Amino acid sequence: MPDTVDPQRLGTLLSRIRREVEHGPLPSAQVAVARDGRLVAFESYGDAHPGTRYVLQSVGRSIVAGVVWKLIGDGLLDVGEQVAEIVPEFGPNAKETVTVEQVLTHTAGLPFAPLGYPKMLDREQRLAAFGRWRLDYPPGSRFQFHLTSAAWLIAEIVERRTGLAFADYLRERIAGPLGLSSIELGVPEHRQAGSVAPMLATDRVEDGQEPDPWGPWYLSDPKVLAAGEPSHALVATAADVALYFQALVHSGLWKPGAVAEGTRIRLTGHPYGERIHGGGGRRRTSMGLFVTVAGPDAGSNLPSTGSSALFGSAGAAYQLGFMDPESDLSFACLSNGYPLAGYDHSPRGTAFLTDVANLAAGLVR
């Protein structure tokens, strides 16, 4: 295994991110690089300091995934189980065949099943919503990111199998023992100001223009952030995200083989509704258990300069976290800048995330 991080390449990476804050649209950014269980670099730019935490959005899925992998390694969960066997309230409306693996790979058939604020605050209302959900297509037949449904089911499964609410299990059994204190789900409103970077628009608000109601602007409401939607409302520093990835490999908290099983490619398909083996000219996305894996195509904004085993998640709009097991390098780039549309598909926005991803994955020589 190569054993050094190239200082010149690291300087180029940090300069690229700093430039996007100093001369681009981002109000702040944090970046962290880790290897062999320790931080190699950790920098904050703009209106941020080392203690600033960011709303992780989809980057948080990798943290959720690690919780699930721990349960699998500890023998508390089998991905072949039917969700309704664990959470009977989920079974109505022909959902009894949905498996845990299908939820984790976004193929369960209910990608946009609704569960919003304030119903998300109450467990009984969440369980009632699970029962009302209906399938959009047969489980296992299509791959489409389950933005509003999967993480709530995962959280309930964790609670049924451990006796702890997901946020408590994460804090008491993982983040706490690892010393990663910035990682938190459900930050109370009175502790958000000064601790969590507020989401700020990177484009000019025109008269009468309303932001996209989903995505970052949904989570910019302090009440919604406090409610703690599991796969998007996690907060952390970039340092703790990068070190979390390292802990998956180096801490001994996960049983041998659990991470390898979690990052084994289960399917490769086109997101947003294409059939798993269907056509279309878009980049294909390889899925492990609730993480994307680079595989042969490096889809979903993962870098193409790392190994095929690299795994992690990108987050709207300028965020990325990943681990490359072959180079033993982990990386996190977080920001609180967002376009009103929630995503930045402009040439500049696309180039930024692509540049950062590929520079980071190529740091080890």
Side-chain angles (χ1 to χ4, degrees), residues 201-257:
T202 56
D203 44 3
R204 189 163 57 91
V205 180
E206 304 290 346
D207 289 342
Q209 184 179 13
E210 294 291 334
D212 187 309
W214 174 242
W217 304 114
Y218 176 66
L219 294 167
S220 66
D221 184 336
K223 293 183 174 63
V224 173
L225 185 62
E229 191 280 327
S231 70
H232 296 93
L234 279 159
V235 304
T237 64
D240 278 1
V241 173
L243 288 171
Y244 182 91
F245 279 113
Q246 289 291 312
L248 291 170
V249 177
H250 295 291
S251 69
L253 198 61
W254 282 262
K255 295 289 178 63

Side-chain angles (χ1 to χ4, degrees), residues 4-43:
T4 59
V5 170
D6 188 307
Q8 184 173 356
R9 294 177 183 176
L10 178 59
T12 301
L13 168 66
L14 297 177
S15 294
R16 180 68 178 90
I17 297 169
R18 184 176 63 247
R19 187 166 68 247
E20 207 68 14
V21 175
E22 294 178 351
H23 305 290
L26 301 186
S28 76
Q30 251 183 19
V31 58
V33 178
R35 195 164 187 270
D36 193 27
R38 63 181 182 84
L39 279 177
V40 175
F42 177 40
E43 300 290 343

Side-chain angles (χ1 to χ4, degrees), residues 113-193:
L115 183 56
Y117 181 85
K119 289 182 180 179
M120 65 170 67
L121 289 170
D122 183 85
R123 188 184 185 194
E124 292 305 314
Q125 291 193 61
R126 293 197 299 269
L127 293 173
F130 293 168
R132 291 192 297 270
W133 288 351
R134 295 181 181 274
L135 296 171
D136 293 333
Y137 43 81
S141 65
R142 296 171 70 89
F143 165 48
Q144 189 168 17
F145 285 121
H146 282 41
L147 298 177
T148 60
S149 56
W152 284 116
L153 289 173
I154 293 168
E156 185 62 31
I157 289 168
V158 169
E159 186 163 353
R160 297 286 170 116
R161 287 297 162 87
T162 69
L164 291 172
F166 183 91
D168 295 332
Y169 183 86
L170 175 64
R171 182 183 65 253
E172 296 177 16
R173 303 293 173 84
I174 297 181
L178 293 174
L180 306 178
S181 59
S182 78
I183 298 176
E184 186 177 6
L185 178 66
V187 183
E189 289 182 66
H190 70 275
R191 288 203 289 108
Q192 292 177 26

Side-chain angles (χ1 to χ4, degrees), residues 36 45 76 94 98 130 138 160 166-167 186 217 274 284 311:
D36 193 27
Y45 303 113
L76 297 176
V98 174
F130 293 168
R160 297 286 170 116
F166 183 91
W217 304 114
E274 293 290 339
R284 298 167 67 80
F311 66 88

